[in-house]
Amino acid sequence: MDNESGNAYWAANIRLVTVLLAIWAFVSFGMGILLRPMLMDIKVGGVDLGFWMAQNGSIYVFLILIFVYAVMMNGIDRQYNVDEE
Amino acid sequence: MDLKTMTYIVVGATFLLYIGIAIWARASSTSDFYAAGRGVNPIANGMATAADWMSAASFISMAGLIAFQGYQGAKFLMGWTGGYVLLALLLAPYLRKFGKYTVPEFIGDRFYSQMARLVAILCLITISITYVIGQMKGVGVAFSRFLDLPYEWGLYVGMSIVFIYAVLGGMKGITYTQIAQYCVLITAYTIPAVFISMNLTGNPIPQLGLIGNDVGSGTPLIAKLNQTIQDIGFGAYDGDPPSYLDMLLYTITLMIGTAGLPHVIIRFFTVPKVSDARWSAGWALVFIALLYTVAPAVGAMARYNVTTTIWPNGVQGEAIAVDQLPQWFQNWETTGLLKYEDKNGDGKIQFYNDKSEAMKTLATERGWQGNELTKFDRDIMVLANPEIAGLPNWVIALVAAGGLAAALSTAAGLLLAISSSISHDLLKSMLMPNITEQGELTAARVSMAGAIAVAGYFGLNPPGFAAQVVALAFGLAASSIFPALMMGIFSKRINSHGAILGMVAGIGVTLAYIFAYKGMFFIPGTAIFPASTPEYWIMGVSPEAFGCIGALVNFIVAYVVSSVTAAPPKEIQDLVESIRVPRGAGVATSH
C-alpha cells in the first residue's frame, strides 16, 4: 500500500471512530448522567429517560456502535484494499 | 429431593463437564497455551470473553449494589459495558494484528524498552492478583453457603478444578470451559429474574418489568418502589446522586479500566483474523448485556420484595412478626449475612432508616427503638432471589453453580494473564531469551500452578488490598495500561521515555490519591484522610473514581516528554504502520 492511500485509510478510520465515540459519550455521560436533570419530563415506560439510559439504554447503544463499527470498518478495509484475503 | 443433595448433583455435574472439556482441549504448543492456537470462532470467543469478564462481583454483588444505590448504581452498568466500545474501536483489532501473546509484550516491543515491559508486568500482576483473590473468596463462600463445606475446603476444591483445566489446557482449555461456564451462569441468573419480574409486573422480560407497572396498583414499579422506601425514611430510588461529577469520573474510570484489563485483552488474541476481533468484541457485549440489562431489574425488584416482606401492609400497618418470617429469611439469618434484633421487644421487626429526622418522630410515636434489621448484606439480593420468588430447589442449586461458574471462569482468565506474563514476558523476553518452545510451555504450566497456589494462599489469608478491586485494579488499568496501549497504536511519536514516565506518573498520582484515603498500601490506620467521608475528597471525587485523572496525567506527561526527546526509531514507526492495517495478520502469528 502506498503512502497516500495509507494516510487516507487511516484518516477514514479516525473519522469513523470519532463519530462513534461521540455518540458513545453522548448517550452515557450526556443523557445518562449530566443531562439527566433536563430530560426528566421525557418518560420511557415508568421511568425518566436519563434513568433508563443510565441503567439500560446506553448498553443497547454500545452494542449497536460496536456492530456498526465492525461492518463499516470491514467495508473501509475492502475499499482501500487492505482487508485480510 | 432435599436442597443439599440437589446442589451437590448440579454443582458436581458442572464440574464434571469442566474436567471433561479440559481433557478434550489439551494444549500442545505455546500458541495453544497462550492464545488457543488462534483458532477460536469470534462468537465462541465472545461467549468466553463474557464469562472471563463477568466475575463473582458481577454475578453475586452487582445487583445488590444497584439495589441499595438506586439510580447512581448505573455507574457500574455503564462503566463495565462502555469499556467494550473502547476495546473494540481503539485496542482489540490492532493488538490482534500485532499478533503476539501478552499485553506487556506489546508495551515492551512498541516502546522498545525492557523498563516499559517491566512496568507493564508489575501493573499486570498487581491488577490480576488483586482481582483473583476476590474470585477465590467467592468460590470459598459459595461452597460454604450452599454445600455446607468449610470455606477452606471450598477453596481447595475450586483450586483443584482450575488447576486441571488451566494447567493442562492453558488458554485453549480455559476458552472452552468458559463457554460452558457462560451457559451455566446466564441460565442461573435469568430464570429467577424472569419469575420475579412476572410476579411483580406481569411481564416476563425483566428489562421491560423495570420500566413496567406494579401488578397490584397499576402504578410504575419504580414509583411504587420510591414510595415504599421513602415511607421508611430512605431516599428515592431514582433520586439524584450525591455528586454528578463523581458519578461521571467513576463511570469513565470503570470504562477505561475495563478496556485496560489484561485478562480481557488477551481473549482477543485467540481469534483467527483482525476482522474477527472486531466482531468478537460485539458478540462479547451481546452476551454481557444479557446479564447487565437484567441486573438493574433484579436490583430494583429485590429491594421492593425485601421491603414489602417486612412491611406487608406498608408502614401504616404493622411490621412482620418474628414468627411469621418467610423461610428464606431464616435460612439467610443462619449464614450471618442477615441479622435482626427486636430492640423494643414487641416481637415484630421494624425496618427503617433511623438516621432520618422524620422517622425519629414517627418512631417515638409508635414505640420503635431503632432499626431492627441490623444487617442485610447486599450479596443476598441475588443469592436469595430464587427463594424469595418461591422457585423449586433445582433453581437454587443452579444459582449456586452459576456463582461458582462466574468466579472460576474469571479466576482462570486472570491466572492465565499472570502465568503468561511470567513465563513469556519475564522469562522468555527478559531473562532467558534462548529458552526452547518446549521449555517455555513447561515454564508456562509451572507458573500457572504457582499462580494458582499464590491465589489460593491469598484467598485463605486475604491481605488489605484484596477488598480494593475497584480502586486498585481499575485505577491501575485505567491510569497505566489503557493509555500506554492507546498511545502505542494511535501515535507514532510517543517514544520510550514518554511512555515510561507517563505510566509512572499516571500510576503515581492514582496510587497517591487512593493511599491518602485508604491507607498506605491499604494498611489500616495509615490513611491521611478518612476514606468514607466525601467532604474530604478533592472536589467530591472518590478514590475509586480517580483512575481517569491518572490516565489524563499519563497522556499529558507522555506527550510532553516525547515531544522534547527524539522520535522512536524507524523500525518502531514501521511497526505502528503495520499494526494499523489488517492485511497480513496471518503472517504475524508465526512467532
Side-chain angles (χ1 to χ4, degrees), chain B residues 1-18:
Chain B
M1 196 187 301
D2 74 325
L3 176 59
K4 211 161 107 188
T5 319
M6 183 70 94
T7 312
Y8 270 100
I9 292 174
V10 173
V11 170
T14 59
F15 280 14
L16 281 180
L17 176 66
Y18 306 152

Side-chain angles (χ1 to χ4, degrees), chain B residues 227-234 307 311 315 351-353 359:
Chain B
Q227 189 206 332
T228 311
I229 58 179
Q230 283 177 308
D231 276 351
I232 52 171
F234 294 99
T307 315
W311 295 103
V315 77
F351 163 48
Y352 66 102
N353 181 4
M359 291 311 287

